[in-house]
Amino acid sequence: MYSYEKLQEIAQFIKSKLNCEPQIAITLGSGLGSLVGDIKNSVEIDYKDIPGFPLSTVEGHEGKLVCGKIGNKPVIAMKGRFHYYEGYDISQVVIAIRVFKLLGINDLLVTNAAGGINKCFSPGDLMIIRDHISLFAPSPLRGKNFDEFGARFPDMSEAYSKELRGLLKKASAELGINMQEGVYVFAKGPMYETPSEIRALNVLGADAVGMSTVPEVIAARHAGMNVMGISCITNMASGILNQPLNHEEVIQTAKQAEKNFTCVVKKVIDMWPV
Ligand code: HPA
């Protein structure tokens, strides 16, 4: 656990390196990192050079912040995020989100690779996250409340902004890219789920499953940030097809979907009301 002052120090350090004031933060999921190539006049900061910042340990996840402009919008992207399964304390998983808030950022786009539970989905589909199920996720808000960010018992009735979901629908429709919409459920990982777990999650109302995003969105909402979420369906979840899952397939399918993903993200950033 870190203190509010520690978060302020990290934010101050990052701010001293930036050449613009980012207004939208973007967390890039596994295999979806090439968007950073579209960030102009960028400044890059390796996580390892940020005092007090955790390091990303997963293959397919580099660890750096990239700040600059997409179109005329100043953004900051995380290439490489922190997952609970890597062994971090859950409060460390959301450290970057809180630092973004301290940098004055009120808008967050979270993206991830996810397994498709909804049988209407196919690998390579992009999904607008309508809501999430966090019952199996340890809460990043556990422990003493950071009153500076938000309330002890924050509302989660619109975790993913309705307005931003509408914007994403509009952006994808204008591009002729079909997007699914659904509910993302957090799984602690790092093992993929069993077929029985997936059947259970389906009954609970989940359309896609993954090992990230939910803690970050909870911390962002706690701090009053507006959130948009996009999942890239990289595989059908365990037991839906009669085949084992592996990380290479996840990365490979994300790479294949990356062109559409990048197009949609650039467009929606352009339309974003900041
Ligand atoms: N399960 C959990 N996390 C994932 C999956 C999955 O099937 N695919 C990509 N991330």
Side-chain angles (χ1 to χ4, degrees):
M1 196 59 182
Y2 39 76
S3 64
Y4 187 71
E5 288 68 34
K6 184 76 211 167
L7 291 171
Q8 281 179 313
E9 272 171 41
I10 297 173
Q12 230 17 67
F13 176 87
I14 292 171
K15 196 169 180 173
S16 73
K17 306 282 177 200
L18 301 184
N19 59 1
C20 67
E21 283 183 23
Q23 291 194 284
I24 305 170
I26 308 171
T27 304
L28 293 167
S30 303
L32 301 172
S34 76
L35 179 80
V36 298
D38 290 292
I39 301 180
K40 305 296 175 213
N41 296 324
S42 63
V43 169
E44 299 194 356
I45 314 172
D46 281 343
Y47 296 163
K48 66 174 166 31
D49 297 329
I50 306 174
F53 221 59
L55 290 173
S56 163
T57 66
V58 196
E59 206 189 314
H61 282 266
E62 271 177 82
K64 62 181 180 186
L65 295 175
V66 182
C67 183
K69 286 200 169 177
I70 293 184
N72 61 3
K73 299 277 164 63
V75 304
I76 188 164
M78 287 187 87
K79 190 167 183 194
R81 57 145 62 90
F82 311 114
H83 304 83
Y84 185 61
Y85 65 73
E86 291 175 81
Y88 304 115
D89 185 86
I90 191 67
S91 64
Q92 279 182 298
V93 171
V94 301
I95 204 164
I97 305 297
R98 289 177 156 165
V99 165
F100 292 149
K101 177 72 185 186
L102 293 177
L103 289 172
I105 299 170
N106 281 311
D107 291 80
L108 175 69
L109 168 57
V110 277
T111 71
N112 58 54
I117 297 178
N118 187 323
K119 290 191 176 129
C120 298
F121 293 0
S122 305
D125 281 353
L126 298 175
M127 182 186 91
I128 299 169
I129 306 179
R130 181 177 351 108
D131 201 358
H132 69 219
I133 297 176
S134 85
L135 297 174
F136 312 107
S139 175
L141 309 182
R142 182 168 181 267
K144 184 180 167 299
N145 187 48
F146 281 89
D147 296 330
E148 298 89 342
F149 288 117
R152 168 78 292 186
F153 300 108
D155 176 48
M156 286 287 148
S157 58
E158 199 182 307
Y160 301 79
S161 155
K162 193 170 176 198
E163 184 190 347
L164 294 179
R165 277 184 275 136
L167 204 66
L168 195 45
K169 278 181 208 168
K170 191 156 181 262
S172 54
E174 282 181 21
L175 292 167
I177 294 173
N178 186 40
M179 285 185 83
Q180 307 283 5
E181 182 168 3
V183 175
Y184 176 95
V185 62
F186 175 88
K188 287 198 283 288
M191 64 292 171
Y192 291 113
E193 303 69 37
T194 65
S196 306
E197 286 166 343
I198 293 301
R199 278 195 303 277
L201 294 171
N202 186 24
V203 171
L204 291 181
D207 296 292
V209 57
M211 304 175 195
S212 67
T213 300
V214 167
E216 291 142 293
V217 172
I218 292 172
R221 292 300 298 146
H222 177 239
M225 298 168 81
N226 309 307
V227 178
M228 174 191 288
I230 304 175
S231 288
C232 174
I233 305 298
T234 51
N235 56 284
M236 294 313 288
S238 173
I240 300 223
L241 304 175
N242 192 17
Q243 61 189 46
L245 310 186
N246 66 76
H247 185 60
E248 287 67 41
E249 178 195 2
V250 166
I251 298 297
Q252 220 173 51
T253 312
K255 286 274 157 243
Q256 284 161 13
E258 207 171 18
K259 192 160 159 268
N260 276 352
F261 170 81
T262 303
C263 271
V264 170
V265 170
K266 280 163 64 178
K267 177 98 179 163
V268 84
I269 295 275
D270 198 45
M271 295 162 76
W272 202 300
V274 287

